[in-house]
Amino acid sequence: MQRLNSDQAPKALGPYSQGMVTGNTVFLSGQLGIDPATNQLKESVEEQAKQSLANIKNVLSTIDLSLKNVVKVTVFLKDLDHFAAVNEIYANHFEEPYPARSCVQVAKLPADALVEIEVIAEKV
């Protein structure tokens, strides 16, 4: 197994890795919309979604992968009423064939975030 770590993504808020690679499969921990330069959570759900995806890109780039390698996405929303806004941001970051995806509303996220996104990618 290989641990992934990027200085261009926020440090883990707990005892976990930003990502792990086993064989050709890459598992990324959920990324919040925290700006790694300031260590501050972005304000709006749109800004948080964009930052979360930027953080994911930065972790994937440590092993020369991109969002094109993503096969599964899970989106956690504090309020499902934000689905359309996050979906629009999401659609601007992924292209066909789109990865499989789940989106669920949760009671609370770390740092009181509005959105958290995690992915599984494949090295090819």
Side-chain angles (χ1 to χ4, degrees), residues 31-123:
Q31 287 292 318
L32 302 173
I34 295 175
D35 183 338
T38 64
N39 207 34
Q40 297 296 311
L41 189 65
K42 297 288 187 168
E43 289 192 29
S44 71
V45 70
E46 294 88 354
E47 291 172 318
Q48 287 185 28
K50 287 177 187 175
Q51 186 65 57
S52 176
L53 290 165
N55 295 339
I56 288 167
K57 287 183 200 178
N58 289 336
V59 176
L60 288 173
S61 74
T62 64
I63 53 171
D64 297 322
L65 297 183
S66 71
L67 293 179
K68 292 180 181 184
N69 297 91
V70 173
V71 296
K72 173 69 168 86
V73 179
T74 305
V75 179
F76 303 95
L77 292 173
K78 185 174 179 181
D79 185 344
L80 208 49
D81 287 341
H82 292 142
F83 179 83
V86 172
N87 200 49
E88 185 175 334
I89 306 292
Y90 179 95
N92 289 324
H93 285 78
F94 291 96
E95 43 189 66
E96 291 193 41
Y98 299 113
R101 183 180 80 178
S102 302
C103 182
V104 296
Q105 178 174 310
V106 296
K108 191 165 178 115
L109 290 166
D112 206 26
L114 301 173
V115 61
E116 180 175 7
I117 303 173
E118 70 177 26
V119 302
I120 299 172
E122 183 178 32
K123 293 168 63 175

Side-chain angles (χ1 to χ4, degrees), residues 19-39:
M20 294 295 289
V21 180
T22 180
N24 287 330
T25 307
V26 182
F27 298 90
L28 263 57
S29 295
Q31 287 292 318
L32 302 173
I34 295 175
D35 183 338
T38 64
N39 207 34

